[in-house]
Amino acid sequence: MIDLKDIQRFMKMVDKTNNCWIWIGSTRSINGYGQFLFNGKLVQSHRISFEIFKGDIPNELFIDHLCRNKICVNPEHLEAVSNKENILRGIGVCAN
């Protein structure tokens, strides 16, 4: 459960533009995704955004960035999809 304090702390790290909501907090150098400290664990910021605005993420689903921007946390740009769908929508070799 994400409480109001966590939501306020999260939103301080978001720069809302007319399109994407840019994560201005820390990012993982390995993959470039935003990260947020929640309940003592680093969690990808787009996953927290999805949970705040859209609800729980089923265990078998992944969050896809429809805008293809790894640091976007705009809930309108996030969709819960299967791993297969997420890979096929991507830009890697497997997506082609």
Side-chain angles (χ1 to χ4, degrees):
M1 183 77 187
I2 303 172
D3 65 23
L4 183 58
K5 278 180 152 179
D6 288 321
I7 294 171
Q8 290 170 335
R9 190 168 55 89
F10 177 86
M11 292 306 295
K12 286 181 181 178
M13 296 290 111
V14 176
D15 179 18
K16 289 184 180 181
T17 70
N18 290 334
N19 192 18
C20 290
W21 294 7
I22 305 301
W23 180 253
I24 58 173
S26 67
T27 58
R28 290 196 64 201
S29 59
I30 293 172
N31 60 18
Y33 288 99
Q35 56 187 8
F36 181 72
L37 187 62
F38 178 67
N39 287 339
K41 291 174 50 180
L42 285 175
V43 182
Q44 291 178 327
S45 55
H46 62 283
R47 293 182 64 84
I48 294 291
S49 181
F50 188 95
E51 290 187 7
I52 290 170
F53 296 102
K54 292 189 168 186
D56 292 339
I57 304 167
N59 288 336
E60 69 277 6
L61 297 184
F62 293 75
I63 302 302
D64 183 32
H65 286 85
L66 301 174
C67 60
R68 310 309 318 133
N69 183 351
K70 290 182 177 185
I71 58 170
C72 178
V73 295
N74 183 340
E76 296 302 315
H77 295 185
L78 305 174
E79 183 177 14
V81 297
S82 69
N83 187 40
K84 179 180 179 180
E85 183 67 23
N86 195 33
I87 290 169
L88 290 173
R89 290 180 178 181
I91 57 173
V93 175
C94 294
N96 295 324

